[in-house]
Amino acid sequence: MTFRVRVLVRLRPSVYDPQGEAIKKAIAADPRLSAASVRQGKMFDLEVKADSPSEAKARAAEIASRVLANPVLEDFNVHVILD
Amino acid sequence: MARFAVLVFPGTNCEGDVLHAIQTVTGQPAELVWHKEGSLDGFDAAVVPGGFAHGDYLRAGGLARFSPVMEPLARMADSGQAVVGICNGFQILQEAGLLPGAMLRNQSLSYVCRDVRIRVEANSSPLTMGLAPGTALRMPVGHAEGNFRADDAVLEALEADEQVIFRYCDDDGEATADANPNGSRNNIAGVRNRRGNVAALMPHPDRAYEDALGGADGCRLFESLHRFTQS
């Protein structure tokens, strides 16, 4: 079976995010808008062949840790999209 | 005699400068090596030049690590031969796990392209062998992701072990915040591995190896690399 899996990669909380800060300032430039904080990340949608959702999730997590995220800077989370 | 390999990935754009710099400064043979090559046999040192390997897709240097040439490059590093990165080459060596840390987007969010000064911190690397610590050199940077980042524990170990080989400094040789073009921690401009045979820096010695280019301080680094291969 093929499962759709979504991987979110984000900077670890301790890592300063200059892009997020710039976006936060851009939001604040519109007086109708405000955000207390902004963190930018990346989203990946994968199609993964596996026998079960949990196996698909494990395969995607391995891909995320080996390729999609740089562990020095980034965390990731993985969830299987069931529709 | 020492033979130098200059690696070329799709999107690398400084290979010609590096090749010419090695040939003119050291007088030694240097060859371009395409990233699909599975062997670096016969080379005494390898340089990963700047550019945008694989378009910098995913992360700067993030996809280059999966190119076939990275296996023999890692073997060269394991065997104690000189492996050097410049700019994007630095990012590639970090992504490949051959050098510590990672590069964040510059604090200014801008691509920074100008001359900087860097101070030699330790001469225990192929880029600084024979250079006196404290020596200040001038050469250009050109990058958007040069904001060196490592955990506090890693950073402390790097400093204690003298693995920081270059720091951005001002005209007086002081590593001030104003002299830091990208926000890198501790003004780090270059590091080496623990063993001392893999090293890289963000500034471009390959853009400062003769006076016609506006400066020749980069020669010192290529001379050092040559010296390392003789040692």
Side-chain angles (χ1 to χ4, degrees):
Chain A
M1 280 162 64
T2 300
F3 292 90
R4 289 173 59 215
V5 186
R6 181 159 292 172
V7 179
L8 297 176
V9 175
R10 42 195 131 200
L11 288 173
R12 286 175 13 208
S14 61
V15 177
Y16 177 73
D17 175 12
Q19 294 180 102
E21 286 300 309
I23 295 164
K24 182 179 147 185
K25 283 181 192 153
I27 292 170
D30 184 329
R32 294 165 302 177
L33 306 175
S34 82
S37 75
V38 178
R39 305 281 291 172
Q40 181 172 320
K42 293 174 188 161
M43 186 190 82
F44 302 86
D45 281 344
L46 312 179
E47 289 183 333
V48 178
K49 284 194 168 30
D51 292 332
S52 66
S54 61
E55 188 192 335
K57 184 173 177 176
R59 287 179 185 275
E62 191 182 354
I63 293 168
S65 67
R66 290 170 62 94
V67 182
L68 303 180
N70 178 337
V72 176
L73 300 173
E74 295 167 327
D75 286 332
F76 63 87
N77 68 38
V78 177
H79 68 270
V80 179
I81 300 169
L82 300 168
D83 45 16
Chain B
M1 194 184 76
R3 266 179 90 215
F4 293 84
V6 179
L7 307 194
V8 184
F9 299 84
T12 300
N13 60 18
C14 297
E15 71 275 20
D17 304 77
V18 171
L19 192 75
H20 192 243
I22 292 171
Q23 289 167 342
T24 55
V25 175
T26 72
Q28 301 298 308
E31 288 169 41
L32 300 180
V33 178
W34 183 236
H35 76 119
K36 293 285 194 189
E37 281 294 327
S39 165
L40 288 167
D41 289 351
F43 289 104
D44 302 293
V47 181
V48 189
F52 301 86
H54 298 280
D56 275 354
Y57 292 172
L58 186 64
R59 294 179 303 275
L63 297 183
R65 139 171 90 105
F66 298 102
S67 284
V69 78
M70 295 306 285
E71 266 189 39
L73 189 74
R75 283 199 296 274
M76 281 184 79
D78 282 346
S79 71
Q81 290 178 294
V83 173
V84 161
I86 300 169
C87 197
N88 192 222
F90 191 167
Q91 297 157 342
I92 290 169
L93 294 177
Q94 287 179 316
E95 285 282 347
L98 296 175
L99 285 176
M103 296 299 179
L104 270 179
R105 185 69 64 96
N106 294 347
Q107 202 150 16
S108 64
L109 294 179
S110 299
Y111 185 95
V112 51
C113 184
R114 62 176 171 84
D115 274 4
V116 298
R117 275 184 198 284
I118 53 173
R119 189 177 72 196
V120 176
E121 298 291 309
N123 53 18
S124 48
S125 85
L127 285 168
T128 54
M129 193 178 197
L131 300 183
T135 305
L137 305 168
R138 185 169 59 88
M139 60 191 73
V141 289
H143 61 250
E145 283 105 4
N147 185 349
F148 183 94
R149 161 89 205 179
D151 285 346
D152 289 344
V154 172
L155 199 65
E156 264 179 48
L158 290 181
E159 295 284 3
D161 202 26
E162 296 189 340
Q163 285 181 251
V164 177
I165 56 169
F166 295 113
R167 242 183 270 279
Y168 300 108
C169 68
D170 64 14
D171 290 348
D172 299 321
E174 298 296 325
T176 61
D178 283 347
N180 184 339
N182 52 34
S184 69
R185 295 196 76 181
N186 294 13
N187 278 39
I188 289 172
V191 299
R192 66 166 172 88
N193 65 346
R194 186 180 285 270
R195 182 168 177 179
N197 65 311
V198 181
L201 80 171
M202 287 311 291
H204 279 275
D206 50 318
R207 295 180 190 171
Y209 62 89
E210 56 190 26
D211 289 334
L213 295 171
D217 285 358
C219 293
R220 311 280 295 275
L221 276 55
F222 292 108
E223 288 161 2
S224 164
L225 178 57
H226 186 205
R227 208 172 285 134
F228 187 92
T229 63
Q230 310 295 305
S231 64

